[in-house]
Amino acid sequence: MVITNEGNYPLQYEIEIDAFWVAITWLGVDSQLGIISSNSSDTITVTVLESTSLFIDSYIGNLIVNTTAAQQPDKFITEDSIAIQLNVLSTEDLTSGEADIAEGNSEPVVLDSTSGIPPGILISIFAPGGGTVSVTSASVAAPFDSLLTTVIDPNGEIDSFAVANLYWEIVAIISGGYLADVTFDYNQLFGVLYPEGLRLGRRAGFSGAAVPWELIDLALLEIDTLNQTITAIGQTQFSQWTIIADPAENPLRDVQAPTVSAITLSVITPAIGQAFEVSASVRDETGVNNVSLHYRRGDDQGFSSTAMVGSEDELYTAEIPASAVYHTGLQYFISAEDNLNHVDSTQIFNIQVGFPENTITTAVAGSAFPEGFPNNAWRLLSVPAQLDQATVDSTIQDDLGEPASNTTWRMFRYAGSGLANYEEADEFILGESYWLKQVIGNDLNFDLGSGQSITLDGHSITLQPRSWHFISSPYTFPVQINVDTLVFYGPFTYGEFGTQGQEGWSTPTAQVTMQPWGGYVLYNNTDAEQVFDIVPPTSSQLLAKTVSGPTEGWRLQLAAEGTRFVDAGNYIGRLKGASEGQDAYDHPDMPRMEDYLSLSIERPDSKPGNGFSSDIRSLEVFDGVWPLSITSRGDPGNIKIIPHLVGNLPADMQVVLLDLIARESHDLTNATSPVTISRRNEHFPHRLKAIAGTPGFVKQTTDQILAALPAEFALAQNYPNPFNPATTIEYALPRPAHATLAVYDLLGREVIILYQGWQDMGYHEVVWNGRGRRGESLASGIYFAVFRADNVIRTRKMLLLK
């Protein structure tokens, strides 16, 4: 370092050293204080101290030079700072080589390396005068300062730039001029993603960070991607060289985690309790720090980990223990970290685990039937896992001990349309469920034959639009799923859900735990085909989508409970986002099997017979009427309607339940106690209406509905009367009943029966054409219409004139 005094008076200087690492001062000068005579210079020697105590790294220090006039030390004080970068390298990171240049030589120069490691450079030089050339290669970035270091690009392409962790210093002592092609090897660099974007930079005078890099013109640059070299053509001077690039194309740093490839398993499909090894090739530019194998059983929420042991050929191996190999299936992945703490993981891989017969039983943990399959009750059944033989006979008949019949057991699959359209099942299909009823014994246990687990990346079921589907989980452990309630309705399962142990469907919920051996029904509530995924979640991921419906508004749950059955998932109400017409908030009735109880909501815009379990309408409308009906089979007794309000009714709203048959009105506005509905037959629905609105609207609507209903069994006078050739006979039923309408002559002889059988409540009419039961024409005269129902007899006289 040279300090020059260009003035006419002596100059006093003082040098402060700022170059510390821990307790070590690694920079020193031979003179920290002195005076320089006018118009003269003084050379200060800078030395590196205790370099053997420093780690291999890059260090930045400063020499701060304070100068004053010697005669007036308090005036004209100036301060200059010189930044010094010290790169401490290992012997492997620093290589050098030199060669003699013969006169007129134009062949590539072979550099003799002092360390035996080539410096990664090739020089083709034409030097008429001959001389020597020497190269030093350092595996570290050249002196660099993010604020001072700049580049000069004659092609104007590089704005932001990255500098390689590698540079060369070339010294040529040659008589006269020379012309050289300099080739640099870039295959030892990290972060070269786009070789065509590499540039060569040269910095004159072996200077520090304040001197800009001058990029070689693209016209004088050649890049050989096959041999991974970059060449500067026709150079006339040497100094400090490095490779520079746009960091967006080539970061020139190790920015990538280790690559994991060639994964192999010692066993492809292990059996339960069979440990096996996982091996993989792991490579990284800066070296691999550690590699881990992560694994989990399907019924575990999180992954366990074990270190993988590496060999000289970069092959890493670890064992998945026997305890992790279970019928619930297995997942694993590999993570690797390099020496720069870059970490990445492979995808999650799935292993199917094989199991022998009698391994999977209804007593498996989380089973839908932990105490066995019940006697004399319909339940939905499925089989988990992928079986080698999945026929009904080979799977459950050996446990039942009898062939299927009406007196032993029956199993049905849903045929895909209607509420009770079923066919005999002869095979278990993965992801389906089936109705089963057995009278063989109490709490029967089933066990499966041999097979293998299902991969844990999920099982997909395709659902047809506007249709029910009988589904199941294919896993041998419970799987919790969340459901998009605007797309799907369900899944529901069937069992004991009433307050007194009555049987029926579960109530709607957005979160469902699907159990092994269990069965479920799910409705696609859209007009398009949908895919429903059953995915076992880990502790860090829940793959099924969760959607919460709107909460603004109100819903009234109307649970119907009989002696044997329950139908709890029925809702009327108004919510924000719903419409008056049929939409995603309106759901169809549940499928039925043999005996059942159903409370159904009848919409005017749906097909006859297509009832709904929920009818949610627009919050923008206040008053409304919901027609309801109760149907049952095998449960003829009284029905309890249990109301439950979800949300808050508007302050001026009243809700009543009107029993059309009993002609009774029940206020549900604040009610929590059940309403009892008397059932008289199973041939026709019991009609009701839910009326919600202002008290005035509720009263007026109730009066109008009751006024339009028959109050008693009645037979109206036929018309026309007298008649020829036909007449109309009207009669009324205030409730469903077995009715008979017949015609008699004056002698009391039955002429014809016009109607006989069960008939729903309401007004009915029959046209009589004046003929007898055999179609014969009757004579003119007086005849009698006789109506019978519920021990009530009504008669009307009719006159036939010809």
Coordinates of all heavy atoms in Angstrom, one line a residue, residues 715 740-744 784-788 793-796 798:
L715 N -121.0 -38.2 0.1 CA -121.4 -38.6 -1.2 C -122.3 -37.5 -1.8 O -123.3 -37.2 -1.3 CB -122.1 -40.0 -1.2 CG -122.6 -40.5 -2.6 CD1 -121.4 -40.8 -3.5 CD2 -123.5 -41.7 -2.4
T740 N -115.7 -48.0 -1.0 CA -116.4 -48.8 -2.0 C -117.5 -47.9 -2.5 O -118.3 -47.3 -1.8 CB -117.0 -50.0 -1.4 OG1 -116.0 -50.9 -0.9 CG2 -117.8 -50.8 -2.5
L741 N -117.6 -47.8 -3.9 CA -118.7 -47.0 -4.5 C -119.4 -48.0 -5.4 O -118.8 -48.5 -6.4 CB -118.2 -45.8 -5.3 CG -119.3 -45.0 -6.0 CD1 -120.3 -44.4 -5.0 CD2 -118.7 -43.9 -6.9
A742 N -120.7 -48.3 -5.1 CA -121.4 -49.3 -5.9 C -122.8 -48.8 -6.3 O -123.3 -47.8 -5.8 CB -121.6 -50.6 -5.1
V743 N -123.4 -49.4 -7.3 CA -124.8 -49.0 -7.8 C -125.7 -50.2 -7.6 O -125.4 -51.3 -7.9 CB -124.7 -48.6 -9.3 CG1 -126.1 -48.3 -9.8 CG2 -123.8 -47.5 -9.5
Y744 N -126.9 -49.9 -7.0 CA -127.9 -50.9 -6.7 C -129.2 -50.5 -7.5 O -129.4 -49.3 -7.7 CB -128.2 -51.0 -5.2 CG -127.0 -51.6 -4.5 CD1 -125.9 -50.8 -4.1 CD2 -127.0 -52.9 -4.1 CE1 -124.8 -51.3 -3.4 CE2 -125.9 -53.5 -3.4 CZ -124.9 -52.7 -3.1 OH -123.8 -53.2 -2.4
F784 N -129.5 -46.6 -7.2 CA -128.9 -46.0 -6.0 C -127.4 -46.1 -6.0 O -126.9 -47.2 -6.2 CB -129.5 -46.6 -4.7 CG -130.9 -46.5 -4.5 CD1 -131.8 -47.5 -5.0 CD2 -131.5 -45.4 -3.9 CE1 -133.2 -47.4 -4.8 CE2 -132.8 -45.3 -3.7 CZ -133.7 -46.2 -4.2
A785 N -126.7 -44.9 -5.8 CA -125.3 -44.9 -5.6 C -125.0 -45.1 -4.1 O -125.5 -44.3 -3.2 CB -124.7 -43.6 -6.0
V786 N -124.3 -46.1 -3.7 CA -124.0 -46.4 -2.3 C -122.5 -46.3 -2.1 O -121.7 -47.0 -2.7 CB -124.5 -47.8 -1.9 CG1 -124.1 -48.1 -0.4 CG2 -126.0 -47.9 -2.2
F787 N -122.1 -45.4 -1.1 CA -120.7 -45.2 -0.8 C -120.4 -45.7 0.6 O -121.1 -45.4 1.6 CB -120.4 -43.7 -0.9 CG -119.1 -43.3 -0.3 CD1 -117.9 -43.6 -0.9 CD2 -119.0 -42.5 0.9 CE1 -116.7 -43.2 -0.3 CE2 -117.8 -42.1 1.4 CZ -116.6 -42.5 0.8
R788 N -119.3 -46.5 0.8 CA -119.0 -47.0 2.1 C -117.5 -46.8 2.3 O -116.6 -47.0 1.5 CB -119.2 -48.6 2.2 CG -120.6 -49.0 2.0 CD -120.7 -50.5 2.2 NE -122.1 -51.0 2.1 CZ -122.7 -51.4 1.0 NH1 -122.0 -51.3 -0.1 NH2 -123.9 -51.8 1.0
I793 N -121.8 -45.1 5.7 CA -122.5 -45.4 4.5 C -123.3 -44.2 4.0 O -124.0 -43.6 4.8 CB -123.5 -46.6 4.7 CG1 -122.7 -47.9 5.1 CG2 -124.3 -46.9 3.4 CD1 -123.6 -49.0 5.4
R794 N -123.2 -43.8 2.8 CA -123.9 -42.7 2.2 C -124.6 -43.2 0.9 O -124.0 -44.0 0.2 CB -123.0 -41.5 1.9 CG -122.3 -40.9 3.1 CD -123.4 -40.2 4.0 NE -122.7 -39.5 5.1 CZ -122.5 -40.0 6.3 NH1 -123.0 -41.3 6.5 NH2 -121.9 -39.4 7.3
T795 N -125.9 -42.7 0.7 CA -126.6 -43.2 -0.5 C -127.2 -42.0 -1.2 O -127.7 -41.0 -0.6 CB -127.8 -44.1 0.0 OG1 -127.2 -45.2 0.7 CG2 -128.5 -44.7 -1.2
R796 N -127.3 -42.1 -2.6 CA -127.9 -41.1 -3.4 C -128.8 -41.8 -4.5 O -128.3 -42.8 -5.0 CB -126.9 -40.2 -4.1 CG -126.1 -39.3 -3.2 CD -126.9 -38.2 -2.6 NE -126.1 -37.3 -1.8 CZ -126.6 -36.2 -1.2 NH1 -127.8 -35.8 -1.5 NH2 -125.8 -35.5 -0.4
M798 N -130.6 -42.1 -8.1 CA -130.2 -41.6 -9.5 C -131.3 -42.1 -10.4 O -131.9 -43.2 -10.2 CB -128.9 -42.2 -9.9 CG -127.7 -41.8 -9.0 SD -126.1 -42.5 -9.6 CE -126.4 -44.3 -9.3

